[in-house]
Amino acid sequence: MKVNIIPENCIACGLCYLHAPDVFDYHDNGIVKFNNSDKLEKEYISDDKIISAAKACPTAAIKITKS
Ligand code: SF4
């Protein structure tokens, strides 16, 4: 599945990290990024933790496209 993050939607609430700490990380200002990458789009094997993170995000800053 394809995962996109939309930093301009992020309000730095920290919820996505609670669901998938091995996938999401934050810039110094608390805005979401991928762990070990500054890309805005990454491909992952389908993962319930990432799906939970996307559902938990209050501002739809994480989008998943099933491939
Ligand atoms: S859950 Fe959404 S708003 Fe909160 S830190 Fe993660 S991407 Fe940002």
Side-chain angles (χ1 to χ4, degrees), residues 10-21:
C10 177
I11 57 168
C13 74
L15 275 176
C16 52
Y17 182 83
L18 291 180
H19 286 270

Side-chain angles (χ1 to χ4, degrees), residues 17-31:
Y17 182 83
L18 291 180
H19 286 270
D22 52 340
V23 172
F24 299 107
D25 197 1
Y26 301 104
H27 292 286
D28 289 345
N29 60 3
I31 298 301

Side-chain angles (χ1 to χ4, degrees), residues 21-53:
D22 52 340
V23 172
F24 299 107
D25 197 1
Y26 301 104
H27 292 286
D28 289 345
N29 60 3
I31 298 301
V32 70
K33 66 187 283 299
F34 285 114
N35 194 2
N36 295 329
S37 172
D38 284 329
K39 290 183 179 172
L40 297 179
E41 179 180 307
K42 286 185 78 174
E43 192 72 35
Y44 288 92
I45 295 167
S46 188
D47 183 339
D48 287 344
K49 295 187 310 258
I50 304 175
I51 293 167
S52 295

